[in-house]
Amino acid sequence: MPRPRVLVVDDEEGMLEVCQETLERLGEDVEVVVERHSARAVERLKDEAFDVMVTDIRMPGVDGVTLLRKAREHDPDLPVLMITGFPTIETAVECLRLGAVDYLTKPFLPDDLLSNVKRFLQERRLKDENRLLRRQVSRDYAFDDLVGGSPSMEAVFETVRRVADTDVDVLVVGETGTGKELVARAIHRRSRRGNERFIPVDCGAIPEHLLESEFFGYEKGAFTGANNRSIGLLEFADKGTFFLDEVGELPPLLQAKLLRALQERRIRRVGSKTETPVSVRVVAATGRDLDKMVGDGSFRQDLLYRINVVKIQLPPLRERGDDVLKLAQHFVQRHAREMGKNIKGIRPDALEVLAHYRWPGNVRELQNVIRRGIAMTRADEIGVEDLPDTLVVAAGDGAARLASTAAAGAAGAASAALGAGGGFFEERARRMSAFEREYLAAMLEQHQGDVTTAAKDAGIPRGTYYRLMKNHGLKANDFRG
């Protein structure tokens, strides 16, 4: 965050010196600005941002009550501490009515001034942070930690370890649901900024007309509805990590402004005339092809160079081998505790289905499937019947294709060795098909065309039963009545 600024206004030179000397005990992180002429203070309040104002009441020209009123016009949330050598009940009431947060009578103890201003600065910062956090998009993070032992994930882990403790910007690329934000958080935790803020922003979730004010903040009156000063996400992430999720969704105008901010590490709030330095580490993520977007002109090449100092490519779940089963067991343990259910694990038949499914939604889809399985199962293990029918059918089609490919390869090998025509596999396929049709028809006849009951009796998911019926040209109506 930028240095807080305290404005002290008093027409007495000696009082200004006392206040400045006292407030400088707050340390170098606080900037103390003194102003002897109240009229100039009015102009400074228009053009500059302050976090606390300390002002005398009786001053020539613009008095303290008028200055308080002017300050409230520019920043209704600005804490103002009034000081005076001629206290009256009427003046005190008027100051408090206009929004002054406290009132000190001259002569006062320096420690009273110091403690008041310190408290106001803390309250001001908390108020700004709470306002920003309320604006942030709510996110449901996929999982708590990276899980996997496949070679492709080991490569990801190694890259994270190498770049985390540097300050270079990182681009994480991968399909939706692969865990791009999780990698960004891992980089942040292992970096020197790990104890500072991690600020995520979904570039595709914020309306385009609000992006600039969300990123850079705004001053009061910068646009219709800007009733208060507000810090932006980049300023809020100062000293920490700024995570740009779906960076490919940024509109061209904001790409240019973001590029300038990242190059200079300075931002300007909307409606402000001054720039604020920020120190942020940027991690960006996308599921889009940014090189292709550069080619068609929808993404700036210089911005891509800026954020793509190190690229981390996340593999899709279907290419991670046994990681599917490791992740499934991990989610069972995690979510069973969360949901208060005593689930030991996953049955072998369900694991077989999970292993053959293609997972277009990647890890996020697997997590949701496991959540569903935990909620649906009546046993202490998740079985095939607890998985979505569409998933079981799709996994069965995938397994069938693999089996067909393997059978064709085996048939070719047998033909080469024995000089046969591959008749064994053809005959086996015909007999298996005949058995399937006969069995399905018998179950439908027994249950008078009730597919749900027939599938339950056969121990087959209803979706799979319907798929097999379609393959064999069976219709439930033919067995009813």
Side-chain angles (χ1 to χ4, degrees):
M1 298 284 287
R3 287 201 302 166
R5 306 182 76 219
V6 180
L7 174 63
V8 182
V9 186
D10 199 302
D11 61 316
E12 296 181 21
E13 191 70 36
M15 181 56 64
L16 280 180
E17 291 177 0
V18 169
C19 289
Q20 183 171 18
E21 182 179 338
T22 300
L23 294 178
E24 283 178 348
R25 287 160 54 190
L26 291 168
E28 295 182 357
D29 288 340
V30 177
E31 180 183 356
V32 181
V33 179
V34 295
E35 182 57 68
R36 187 175 178 182
H37 302 284
S38 56
R40 284 209 296 261
V42 172
E43 296 303 315
R44 298 193 75 156
L45 287 167
K46 290 180 182 178
D47 299 333
E48 303 175 44
F50 295 96
D51 297 278
V52 173
M53 182 172 76
V54 180
T55 180
D56 190 14
I57 292 181
R58 288 195 176 186
M59 295 182 292
V62 180
D63 63 20
V65 176
T66 304
L67 184 60
L68 170 60
R69 190 179 289 112
K70 294 288 185 182
R72 286 289 178 215
E73 291 176 2
H74 297 293
D75 185 352
D77 292 330
L78 179 67
V80 179
L81 176 65
M82 311 297 292
I83 55 177
T84 183
F86 308 94
T88 64
I89 294 176
E90 293 79 7
T91 303
V93 170
E94 176 68 5
C95 290
L96 294 175
R97 186 184 68 80
L98 290 172
V101 291
D102 215 332
Y103 192 98
L104 285 180
T105 302
K106 298 178 183 178
F108 53 80
L109 294 174
D111 284 348
D112 288 343
L113 174 65
L114 188 67
S115 61
N116 273 285
V117 171
K118 186 175 183 179
R119 175 166 56 89
F120 301 155
L121 286 174
Q122 291 173 342
E123 291 174 354
R124 171 78 163 189
R125 178 172 179 174
L126 286 174
K127 185 177 290 187
D128 282 344
E129 291 178 357
N130 287 336
R131 185 183 296 118
L132 177 66
L133 290 171
R134 285 195 298 270
R135 296 202 323 266
Q136 279 192 276
V137 179
S138 175
R139 303 294 299 274
D140 180 18
Y141 301 115
F143 43 86
D144 288 332
D145 205 358
L146 289 164
V147 175
S150 61
S152 55
M153 287 305 295
E154 287 292 344
V156 170
F157 299 155
E158 178 60 23
T159 304
V160 169
R161 282 191 289 266
R162 290 187 179 188
V163 305
D165 204 35
T166 69
D167 236 9
V168 299
D169 296 335
V170 179
L171 177 63
V172 185
V173 178
E175 296 178 6
T176 181
T178 49
K180 295 187 288 293
E181 181 167 333
L182 192 64
V183 170
R185 287 180 176 273
I187 292 171
H188 173 72
R189 285 197 303 270
R190 290 162 175 78
S191 72
R192 294 187 292 269
R193 301 172 181 263
N195 292 325
E196 303 294 338
R197 295 185 185 89
F198 177 91
I199 303 299
V201 53
D202 187 340
C203 302
I206 302 175
E208 182 173 340
H209 66 283
L210 296 178
L211 275 170
E212 183 177 2
S213 59
E214 286 290 314
F215 273 49
F216 303 107
Y218 54 85
E219 298 292 344
K220 179 180 180 294
F223 50 83
T224 303
N227 299 320
N228 301 293
R229 184 194 74 167
S230 179
I231 62 175
L233 295 168
L234 270 164
E235 189 174 342
F236 191 53
D238 187 45
K239 299 180 182 176
T241 301
F242 188 55
F243 176 55
L244 283 164
D245 197 8
E246 298 304 333
V247 68
E249 302 298 326
L250 286 176
L253 181 60
L254 192 64
Q255 289 179 31
K257 293 186 176 182
L258 178 63
L259 173 64
R260 183 175 181 275
L262 296 183
Q263 286 175 334
E264 301 181 7
R265 290 312 200 247
R266 302 179 70 85
I267 60 101
R268 179 181 294 173
R269 298 188 191 122
V270 178
S272 175
K273 298 178 181 178
T274 60
E275 291 188 332
T276 301
V278 292
S279 171
V280 294
R281 200 252 185 96
V282 174
V283 179
T286 184
R288 303 182 66 178
D289 186 342
L290 295 185
D291 289 320
K292 183 177 179 181
M293 293 179 67
V294 168
D296 62 29
S298 58
F299 199 84
R300 292 180 65 103
Q301 188 175 49
D302 44 7
L303 178 58
L304 178 58
Y305 289 154
R306 174 74 256 183
I307 62 177
N308 189 20
V309 180
V310 174
K311 179 188 284 188
I312 297 178
Q313 180 77 48
L314 275 178
L317 186 55
R318 61 183 172 275
E319 296 178 5
R320 291 176 55 180
D322 291 342
D323 282 357
V324 173
L325 306 184
K326 293 177 182 177
L327 281 162
Q329 298 288 5
H330 167 75
F331 289 142
V332 168
Q333 294 173 9
R334 174 187 168 189
H335 294 301
R337 288 194 303 268
E338 292 177 354
M339 299 167 69
K341 298 193 70 173
N342 185 24
I343 307 296
K344 295 179 180 178
I346 307 172
R347 287 207 319 255
D349 57 347
L351 287 173
E352 187 73 18
V353 171
L354 298 179
H356 285 104
Y357 185 58
R358 296 284 291 170
W359 300 109
N362 292 294
V363 179
R364 186 180 296 123
E365 182 183 10
L366 172 61
Q367 182 188 33
N368 290 332
V369 166
I370 297 301
R371 280 176 172 167
R372 179 191 190 278
I374 293 171
M376 296 295 292
T377 187
R378 296 180 179 177
D380 59 0
E381 289 184 309
I382 296 175
V384 174
E385 65 276 7
D386 304 314
L387 303 178
D389 288 344
T390 52
L391 185 147
V392 176
V393 171
D397 290 341
R401 284 193 299 271
L402 289 173
S404 175
T405 301
S415 175
L418 303 174
F424 168 78
F425 292 100
E426 292 177 5
E427 184 62 23
R428 185 178 71 170
R430 281 194 295 269
R431 294 196 181 198
M432 287 294 293
S433 179
F435 165 75
E436 278 186 5
R437 192 180 197 286
E438 181 181 350
Y439 181 83
L440 295 170
M443 295 299 292
L444 287 169
E445 186 172 354
Q446 179 180 337
H447 295 286
Q448 298 183 346
D450 187 336
V451 178
T452 300
T453 307
K456 184 176 181 181
D457 198 13
I460 301 174
R462 186 177 59 179
T464 303
Y465 205 102
Y466 272 116
R467 178 180 61 82
L468 293 171
M469 287 173 57
K470 183 178 179 181
N471 290 346
H472 293 288
L474 298 173
K475 296 181 180 179
N477 287 335
D478 294 342
F479 297 90
R480 292 174 181 152

